[in-house]
Amino acid sequence: MTRTDAHIRTHQNQVIQYLTDNPDKALATTKITGRVSDGLKCHVTQGRHQVDMDLGLAMGGDNTAPTPGFFAKAGVVGCLSIGTKMSAARLGIAVRSVRVELETDTDSLALLGHGGGYAGPLETRVNIVIDSDEDDVKIDSLIDFVFTIDTWFLALRDAQSVSTRWTRHKEAA
């Protein structure tokens, strides 16, 4: 086990032990906020982290930042990549690197509210590329495990309860 993997394993096991001892701390709620005013550029914040999103020129944006779809897919790719590497380290499976490739098929006309199609992803394909000398059975077991615990992969794959509401706010002129 590399020093980095040992570090990851130690920290993961500390978190697991803490949450096992304090199960009331295991459920967390996070809040993220986005704001669009002039144009289509959206400024998003979550705690101390910030990112901008925009649409391309063809959609009326200024093409100053990646699209929301980029970030949604990047979230899945990042979560699976990191989740695979951290799970491997915790389980003592030697993995040099993890690369995740994600492809989605979408109906762009439906995204604009036309054509009668479905606006969500029609199909998503995930390919995980592992650089490891471990046997295929261990790697297959690792990937199966990751697909059962990876938050944003599961959010993409499975239906969930989503509540919505809207409120009106008038800014002072």
Side-chain angles (χ1 to χ4, degrees):
M1 177 175 290
T2 68
R3 190 169 45 215
T4 302
D5 285 351
H7 174 81
I8 293 167
R9 183 180 191 167
T10 297
H11 284 274
Q12 294 291 312
N13 285 333
Q14 288 172 350
V15 171
I16 290 168
Q17 187 61 54
Y18 175 79
L19 294 175
T20 299
D21 294 344
N22 301 280
D24 57 309
K25 306 282 187 192
L27 296 178
T29 300
T30 57
K31 182 177 181 179
I32 188 168
T33 303
R35 180 173 170 80
V36 176
S37 47
D38 187 41
L40 295 177
K41 187 174 188 178
C42 182
H43 184 72
V44 180
T45 58
Q46 180 180 322
R48 63 184 172 91
H49 299 287
Q50 302 177 40
V51 69
D52 287 326
M53 300 178 195
D54 199 356
L55 289 183
L57 299 173
M59 295 293 282
D62 292 323
N63 200 32
T64 61
T67 66
F70 168 86
F71 285 102
K73 293 175 275 191
V76 174
V77 166
C79 202
L80 280 169
S81 299
I82 293 167
T84 301
K85 188 70 165 86
M86 77 179 204
S87 295
R90 191 172 69 248
L91 297 170
I93 299 171
V95 170
R96 284 182 291 277
S97 69
V98 178
R99 185 177 79 235
V100 175
E101 303 164 342
L102 184 129
E103 295 179 339
T104 56
D105 297 332
T106 55
D107 180 342
S108 296
L109 195 57
L111 172 80
L112 295 166
H114 290 276
Y118 177 66
L122 302 171
E123 182 178 348
T124 300
R125 293 169 296 284
V126 176
N127 182 38
I128 300 178
V129 181
I130 303 284
D131 181 7
S132 175
D133 294 327
E134 299 280 7
D135 67 57
D136 288 351
V137 173
K138 274 190 180 179
I139 299 299
D140 194 47
S141 177
L142 169 66
I143 300 304
D144 286 347
F145 175 68
V146 169
F147 283 149
T148 68
I149 65 164
D150 192 87
T151 302
W152 296 107
F153 169 75
L154 294 172
L156 171 71
R157 187 192 71 185
D158 299 340
Q160 59 182 296
S161 174
V162 177
S163 61
T164 63
R165 68 183 178 116
W166 72 272
T167 57
R168 183 182 312 272
H169 173 74
K170 291 186 179 182
E171 294 185 16

